[in-house]
């Protein structure tokens, strides 16, 4: 997956190790070989995406695709989404929300904040694997701006 000729880095913010392995496995199975940078804590992911100063300059010339769980141990994924989408250097980064929450209000809030895709993780392994496999196929054909 490339953006204007440059490799896209996938930033995975997921605290469940089993889900993280499953996501990576199925993204790879779909033929997407981009670097995946995993984070289990929201503040660490924000350090990577926005920089320690949270000014976003570190990502000014980077191409990132963010996979974001909403239920993290240290902060809400919605807070992360708000910070990414309100920063002039990161507001155009594509964010795919992957979470077990299927509350309509929360889904709408994520879209209102600028999430590009919202995927509810099925609680059963097979359903989750299928959803992630489809996501990997989606990644293999999209262009990131």
């Amino acid at each position: 997956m490339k953006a204007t000729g440059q490799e896209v880095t996938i930033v995975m913010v997921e605290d469940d190790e089993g889900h993280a392995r499953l996501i990576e496995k199925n993204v790879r199975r779909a033929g997407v070989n981009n670097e995946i940078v995993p984070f289990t804590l929201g503040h660490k992911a924000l350090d990577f995406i926005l920089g320690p100063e949270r000014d976003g300059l570190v990502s000014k010339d980077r191409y990132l695709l963010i996979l974001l769980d909403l239920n993290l141990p240290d902060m809400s994924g919605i807070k992360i989404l708000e910070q990414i989408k309100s920063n002039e250097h990161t507001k155009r980064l594509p964010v795919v929300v992957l979470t077990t929450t299927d509350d309509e209000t929360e889904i709408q809030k994520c879209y209102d904040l600028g999430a590009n895709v919202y995927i509810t993780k099925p609680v059963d392994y097979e359903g989750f694997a299928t959803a992630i496999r489809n996501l990997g196929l989606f990644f293999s054909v999209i262009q990131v701006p």
Side-chain angles (χ1 to χ4, degrees):
M1 180 172 43
K2 294 182 185 268
T4 61
Q6 290 193 312
E7 283 294 318
V8 174
T9 300
I10 299 171
V11 178
M12 179 172 46
V13 188
E14 170 63 68
D15 65 315
D16 183 304
E17 193 176 311
H19 285 180
R21 279 196 311 269
L22 190 62
I23 291 166
E24 183 165 0
K25 177 180 161 188
N26 284 288
V27 166
R28 299 288 182 231
R29 186 183 290 167
V32 176
N33 296 312
N34 297 59
E35 178 184 12
I36 297 177
V37 182
F39 295 95
T40 57
L41 296 173
H43 75 277
K44 295 279 190 190
L46 284 173
D47 284 347
F48 180 80
I49 297 164
L50 295 174
E53 304 298 317
R54 301 289 195 266
D55 57 14
L57 286 172
V58 69
S59 289
K60 185 177 175 210
D61 296 316
R62 292 196 296 188
Y63 294 94
L64 305 175
L65 171 70
I66 300 157
L67 302 178
L68 179 61
D69 184 13
L70 295 184
N71 305 308
L72 299 166
D74 65 330
M75 67 189 307
S76 159
I78 289 187
K79 272 289 194 216
I80 296 169
L81 181 61
E82 282 176 334
Q83 289 186 46
I84 292 168
K85 292 300 186 174
S86 66
N87 183 284
E88 68 177 293
H89 301 294
T90 59
K91 66 183 176 187
R92 289 186 187 86
L93 294 178
V95 177
V96 176
V97 175
L98 277 167
T99 189
T100 54
T101 307
D102 64 355
D103 176 66
E104 284 298 321
T105 306
E106 195 159 276
I107 293 169
Q108 192 56 56
K109 182 170 181 123
C110 287
Y111 281 125
D112 289 347
L113 289 171
N116 299 79
V117 180
Y118 189 106
I119 298 174
T120 303
K121 296 181 203 170
V123 288
D124 66 288
Y125 178 87
E126 215 29 66
F128 183 55
T130 300
I132 298 305
R133 218 174 358 263
N134 292 338
L135 183 64
L137 291 171
F138 174 68
F139 288 164
S140 69
V141 297
I142 65 164
Q143 290 286 321
V144 177

